[in-house]
């Protein structure tokens, strides 16, 4: 997802912009740029490639990042672009200037009617130099600005916002007002950082948390005018609106690697701590409490929908299994991008659970809106406080994973599972499906998970060793049954997205119905086998593939240690309640994916083509 940074104030503006863009690199991008007003003129420096390339270009233009050199630059905005309209190139990079150089814009999101707007502006004599929708926004704002002739930049941005169809976070500067930044927000996050004699704007709190903990999460359909002395927020009709100042709860070093080689490894090591931080505070006096949510109000629910994408979807699949098994309520788990086009069967007795780490994934946001329009109540499980999905859902349960920088989700997934277990247990107890003793026992089991995750981390050398001999594999199969199949789905995605090795997850019993034709000498198969009632069947499935030459790694609980699986390697995880094995079983799979990617020399934290949060459909 693209990243935005803006600054007005006492510091070295260039330094603030570039360090802000660096903190947003984790989101995935392919070009970067800055724009700033100096001596009454808008300057733009932008490059295809990494922020490092941009830093070199800035230095070549003679700009220092030294703080003590004062600040000759007035308003400044910066951007990291994840290409949608127009290939990655210097010309298509943001920021974008209007033709006359008076207006400059950075933009997250998509302008769906940019072709019509471009045609309209071309007829008015505007000439375009890029293929982007963002340049259309810059020209359109200038069109209204020059037509008004009253130097009211906010009014020009507001007028342009009325014409634009799509999703956007726009930051705009104008050479006539070097001490102002105007931002418009619709369906893409904008956070304002409030300081003393300085103010910040960004698409993600990570870009401002080094300087301030006081932030304003801009509401949709808002326009904010920022100066170094303060901010003013209005709606799209020009009416002033109140805003709420919130405190960032994360600390700046959380967003640093802390001595680990990759954020992904750091975040796997954080899993015990963040799982506990997500689960333990919600278990009080042998009961599960969700602040601000009374599941008792939901006993009329007769169906549950789960919608999410990617890893969050896999957490939803585990949640489906748990709720159906414990609560005996039907659950449909759908990838968000399919949901809106599946003609879903939903009414006011449906609860829709929306899972999203970032809280900004556009597919998921659209699906939640569709579910709401059909009368469903919505409950979001989100990691980023104040994000769009968190604010638009009827109720929200925050995971406490902290900032997840690595594009591949690890700790956030584990905390999403934690919340799904809490929900299933709470619901089952309310519905009378489990008695007080079972309810209490399960709570105790959940509270033991963090120490068991630590045990797995302490023996990760076994995974590292196995991966060191397998990283040249061209295709890997993950097979499992029941919960282990859903776990296999996540294991397969993790491997694919960071090692670029093709992989498939398959129900163990399904392989023989076709795909086993792909198994040959040396094919690598990884199989979590944790469910007692399915163990014998999985033993057969492992035999089926190993007799055809496959090399098999099984991931099994301690209690299965002495079973003679026909496999090359075993990784033992601590015993726990069988329903909770996916929380433990996923960690060796994450470690396996990590070491395979490291052995292949891949960019573990910033895999090719991927973004941390996908805000395009
Ligand atoms: C996770 O490893 C992937 N990066 C991706 O599948 C991600 O889970 C998906 O894009 C959903 O993101 P969200 O949880 O922020 O909505």
């Amino acid at each position: 997802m693209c990243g935005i940074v803006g600054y007005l104030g006492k510091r070295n503006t260039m330094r603030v912009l570039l360090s802000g863009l660096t903190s947003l690199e984790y989101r995935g991008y392919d070009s970067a740029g800055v724009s700033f007003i100096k001596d009454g003129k808008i300057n733009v420096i932008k490059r295809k490639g990494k922020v490092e390339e941009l830093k070199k270009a800035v230095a070549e233009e003679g700009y220092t990042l030294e703080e003590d050199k004062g600040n000759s630059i007035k308003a400044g905005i910066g951007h990291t672009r994840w290409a949608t309209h127009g290939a990655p190139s210097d010309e298509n990079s943001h920021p974008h200037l209007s033709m006359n150089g008076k207006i400059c814009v950075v933009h997250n999101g998509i302008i769906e009617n940019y072709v019509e707007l471009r045609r309209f502006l071309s007829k008015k004599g505007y000439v375009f130099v890029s293929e982007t929708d963002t340049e259309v926004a810059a020209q359109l704002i200038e069109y209204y600005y020059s037509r008004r002739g009253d130097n009211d930049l906010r009014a020009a941005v507001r007028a342009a916002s009325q014409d634009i169809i799509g999703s956007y976070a726009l930051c705009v500067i104008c050479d006539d007002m070097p001490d102002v930044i105007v931002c418009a927000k619709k369906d893409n996050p904008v956070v304002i950082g409030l300081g003393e004699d300085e103010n910040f704007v960004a698409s993600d709190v990570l870009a401002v948390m080094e300087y301030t903990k006081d932030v304003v999460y801009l509401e949709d359909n808002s326009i904010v005018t920022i100066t170094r002395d303060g901010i003013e927020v209005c709606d799209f009709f020009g009416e002033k609106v109140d805003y709420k100042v919130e405190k960032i709860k994360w600390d700046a070093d959380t967003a640093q690697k802390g001595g680990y080689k990759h954020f992904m490894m750091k975040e796997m090591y954080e899993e015990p701590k963040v799982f506990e931080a997500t689960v333990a505070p919600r278990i009080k006096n042998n009961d599960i409490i969700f602040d601000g949510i009374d599941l008792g109000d939901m006993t009329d629910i007769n169906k549950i929908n789960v919608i999410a994408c990617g890893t969050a979807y896999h957490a939803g699949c585990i949640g489906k299994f748990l709720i159906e098994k414990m609560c005996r309520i039907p659950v449909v788990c759908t990838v968000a991008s399919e949901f809106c086009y599946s003609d879903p069967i939903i009414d006011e007795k449906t609860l829709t659970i929306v899972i999203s780490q970032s809280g900004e994934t556009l597919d998921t946001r659209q699906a939640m809106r569709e579910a709401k329009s059909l009368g469903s109540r919505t409950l979001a499980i989100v990691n980023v406080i104040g994000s769009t999905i968190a604010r638009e859902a009827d109720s929200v349960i925050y995971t406490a994973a902290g900032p997840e920088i690595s594009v591949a989700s690890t700790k956030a997934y584990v905390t999403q599972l934690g919340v799904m277990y809490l929900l299933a247990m709470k619901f089952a107890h309310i519905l009378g499906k489990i008695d007080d003793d079972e309810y209490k026992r399960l709570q105790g089991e959940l509270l033991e998970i963090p120490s068991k995750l630590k045990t797995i981390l302490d023996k990760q050398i076994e995974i590292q060793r196995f991966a060191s001999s397998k990283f040249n594999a061209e295709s890997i199969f993950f097979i499992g049954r029941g919960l282990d199949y859903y776990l296999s789905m996540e294991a397969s995605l993790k491997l694919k997205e960071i090692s670029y090795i093709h992989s498939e997850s398959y129900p163990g019993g399904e392989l023989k119905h076709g795909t086993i034709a792909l198994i040959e000498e040396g094919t690598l198969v990884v199989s979590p086998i944790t469910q007692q009632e399915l163990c014998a069947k999985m033993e057969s499935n492992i035999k089926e593939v190993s007799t055809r030459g496959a090399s098999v790694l099984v991931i099994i609980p301690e209690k299965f240690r002495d079973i003679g699986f026909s496999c090359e390697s075993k990784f033992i995880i601590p015993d726990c309640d069988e329903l909770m094995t996916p929380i433990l079983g996923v960690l060796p799979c994450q470690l396996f994916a990590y070491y395979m990617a490291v052995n292949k020399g891949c960019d573990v934290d910033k895999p090719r083509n991927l973004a941390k949060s996908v805000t395009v459909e």
Side-chain angles (χ1 to χ4, degrees):
M1 181 162 110
C2 307
I4 285 178
V5 186
Y7 179 70
L8 279 153
K10 58 201 177 195
R11 300 171 200 264
N12 178 324
T13 298
M14 191 61 80
R15 177 194 176 95
V16 173
L17 295 180
L18 291 174
S19 68
L21 293 181
T22 303
S23 68
L24 299 181
E25 285 193 278
Y26 79 97
R27 303 158 74 98
Y29 70 103
D30 39 51
S31 62
V34 291
S35 171
F36 48 94
I37 298 176
K38 188 169 183 292
D39 306 331
K41 183 176 171 301
I42 293 183
N43 298 265
V44 178
I45 304 173
K46 56 185 185 178
R47 290 292 183 279
K48 177 184 173 187
K50 297 296 184 190
V51 171
E52 274 316 304
E53 298 306 311
L54 176 63
K55 285 179 179 173
K56 285 179 197 154
V58 162
E60 283 160 13
E61 303 260 342
Y63 292 98
T64 169
L65 304 186
E66 296 304 315
E67 196 52 74
D68 59 4
K69 295 280 192 298
N71 186 13
S72 60
I73 292 175
K74 298 287 189 179
I77 52 178
H79 189 263
T80 50
R81 177 178 184 249
W82 189 64
T84 51
H85 295 76
S89 68
D90 290 357
E91 298 72 28
N92 288 333
S93 310
H94 300 202
H96 284 283
L97 271 172
S98 60
M99 183 171 70
N100 64 3
K102 291 190 71 60
I103 302 282
C104 196
V105 170
V106 291
H107 164 230
N108 280 358
I110 283 191
I111 298 176
E112 293 168 10
N113 62 332
Y114 84 102
V115 173
E116 296 83 345
L117 292 172
R118 185 174 172 132
R119 192 177 303 124
F120 164 76
L121 291 162
S122 299
K123 284 181 186 154
K124 297 286 183 186
Y126 286 83
V127 176
F128 292 83
V129 296
S130 82
E131 307 158 77
T132 69
D133 55 347
T134 306
E135 188 185 7
V136 170
Q139 304 274 43
L140 185 65
I141 292 167
E142 195 284 326
Y143 167 74
Y144 281 113
Y145 183 76
S146 56
R147 263 187 56 181
R148 291 181 60 90
D150 58 2
N151 282 14
D152 189 337
L153 180 60
R154 182 171 74 181
V157 172
R158 208 172 75 228
S161 303
Q162 311 283 8
D163 291 346
I164 292 172
I165 298 171
S167 68
Y168 49 86
L170 283 171
C171 277
V172 188
I173 57 177
C174 172
D175 60 0
D176 291 338
M177 40 203 77
D179 297 308
V180 173
I181 297 174
V182 174
C183 299
K185 186 238 189 272
K186 181 178 176 296
D187 290 344
N188 255 271
V190 171
V191 59
I192 313 290
L194 303 176
E196 286 299 315
D197 187 23
E198 61 180 3
N199 285 306
F200 308 77
V201 57
S203 49
D204 185 319
V205 288
L206 283 178
V208 305
M209 62 197 288
E210 175 186 347
Y211 310 103
T212 177
K213 296 281 193 205
D214 296 325
V215 294
V216 175
Y217 295 102
L218 211 51
E219 295 292 338
D220 253 7
N221 303 325
S222 299
I223 293 180
V224 58
T225 305
I226 306 168
T227 65
R228 64 193 293 169
D229 305 317
I231 67 170
E232 189 174 275
V233 183
C234 70
D235 61 23
F236 276 4
F237 302 101
E239 294 298 316
K240 273 192 189 174
V241 295
D242 290 336
Y243 55 85
K244 183 180 165 194
V245 180
E246 303 190 46
K247 280 279 184 202
I248 301 174
K249 294 186 173 65
W250 294 342
D251 50 41
D253 71 357
T254 308
Q256 306 306 321
K257 276 186 198 160
Y260 289 89
K261 190 176 176 198
H262 298 103
F263 277 110
M264 185 176 171
M265 182 54 83
K266 176 186 178 218
E267 287 155 9
M268 287 189 282
Y269 264 89
E270 289 176 346
E271 286 183 11
K273 178 184 68 173
V274 299
F275 185 88
E276 183 161 16
T278 300
V279 168
R282 293 172 166 130
I283 294 180
K284 298 169 188 155
N285 308 320
N286 301 322
D287 194 8
I288 294 167
I289 309 292
F290 293 111
D291 292 343
I293 303 171
D294 180 358
L295 291 179
D297 296 341
M298 299 185 188
T299 48
D300 60 332
I301 293 294
N302 61 17
K303 177 184 173 189
I304 293 177
N305 245 336
V306 179
I307 46 181
C309 299
T311 287
Y313 166 71
H314 297 150
C317 290
I318 301 270
K320 164 191 164 62
F321 187 96
L322 296 172
I323 293 170
E324 287 188 334
K325 186 157 187 72
M326 298 175 75
C327 307
R328 309 314 292 161
I329 294 177
V331 181
V332 176
C333 189
T334 313
V335 289
S337 55
E338 290 293 312
F339 178 79
C340 296
Y341 311 100
S342 63
D343 199 6
I345 302 167
I346 282 184
D347 61 24
E348 64 288 342
K349 289 190 180 303
T350 307
L351 171 66
T352 296
I353 299 175
V354 183
I355 308 173
S356 175
Q357 188 284 131
S358 64
E360 298 300 345
T361 300
L362 187 54
D363 285 331
T364 308
R365 281 165 29 199
Q366 306 290 50
M368 180 175 72
R369 289 176 183 162
E370 172 76 5
K372 288 182 85 165
S373 70
L374 295 169
S376 174
R377 277 165 276 184
T378 54
L379 166 59
I381 300 174
V382 174
N383 193 45
V384 177
I385 293 169
S387 54
T388 304
I389 289 172
R391 284 184 291 112
E392 292 187 357
D394 297 320
S395 38
V396 59
I397 298 174
Y398 281 113
T399 52
E404 186 174 68
I405 308 300
S406 190
V407 166
S409 182
T410 51
K411 63 175 183 173
Y413 172 77
V414 165
T415 59
Q416 288 163 354
L417 291 185
V419 172
M420 291 312 289
Y421 280 91
L422 290 172
L423 275 173
M425 290 152 61
K426 177 72 177 180
F427 234 171
H429 188 245
I430 289 172
L431 297 170
K433 302 295 182 186
I434 59 175
D435 64 20
D436 291 352
D437 289 345
E438 177 64 358
Y439 187 43
K440 187 178 170 188
R441 182 189 72 81
L442 289 172
Q443 291 167 40
E445 284 277 352
L446 214 48
L447 292 171
E448 288 177 9
I449 289 293
S451 64
K452 295 177 177 177
L453 286 169
K454 286 196 185 88
T455 302
I456 292 168
L457 288 166
D458 292 344
K459 51 186 279 194
Q460 62 162 290
I461 184 75
E462 295 174 31
I463 294 289
Q464 183 176 11
R465 200 172 293 129
F466 184 77
S468 65
S469 63
K470 302 293 181 188
F471 66 93
N472 287 317
E474 289 177 3
S475 182
I476 298 178
F477 286 80
F478 291 84
I479 62 173
R481 290 176 182 242
L483 277 174
D484 294 332
Y485 167 54
Y486 294 132
L487 167 55
S488 297
M489 290 161 74
E490 175 56 16
S492 176
L493 173 63
K494 219 35 62 210
L495 179 81
K496 282 182 281 195
E497 66 177 324
I498 61 174
S499 73
Y500 315 148
I501 297 172
H502 177 261
S503 165
E504 283 193 62
S505 56
Y506 238 86
E510 186 64 9
L511 210 60
K512 57 186 177 294
H513 296 287
T515 305
I516 200 165
L518 293 175
I519 303 294
E520 55 192 6
E521 192 60 35
T523 302
L524 183 52
V525 172
V526 179
S527 181
I529 305 174
T530 66
Q531 307 297 302
Q532 186 67 57
E533 69 171 340
L534 296 168
C535 184
K537 288 191 171 36
M538 280 308 298
E539 271 190 272
S540 308
N541 295 145
I542 297 302
K543 274 203 183 73
E544 284 161 13
V545 295
S546 55
T547 49
R548 288 168 174 78
S551 162
V552 182
L553 164 68
V554 294
I555 297 170
I556 55 174
E558 183 66 41
K559 66 186 180 184
F560 291 171
R561 177 185 286 273
D562 298 328
I563 294 174
F565 296 101
S566 53
C567 61
E568 179 186 335
S569 300
K570 290 181 182 178
F571 186 84
I572 310 284
I573 59 176
D575 288 331
C576 68
D577 182 276
E578 276 202 353
L579 279 178
M580 299 180 189
T581 51
I583 312 171
L584 299 181
V586 75
L587 184 48
C589 298
Q590 293 167 344
L591 290 164
F592 176 66
Y594 173 82
Y595 283 115
M596 294 290 270
V598 166
N599 288 330
K600 286 192 67 185
C602 297
D603 186 345
V604 171
D605 287 328
K606 298 196 285 289
R608 66 187 182 198
N609 309 339
L610 292 181
K612 181 60 181 173
S613 169
V614 182
T615 56
V616 293
E617 276 191 299

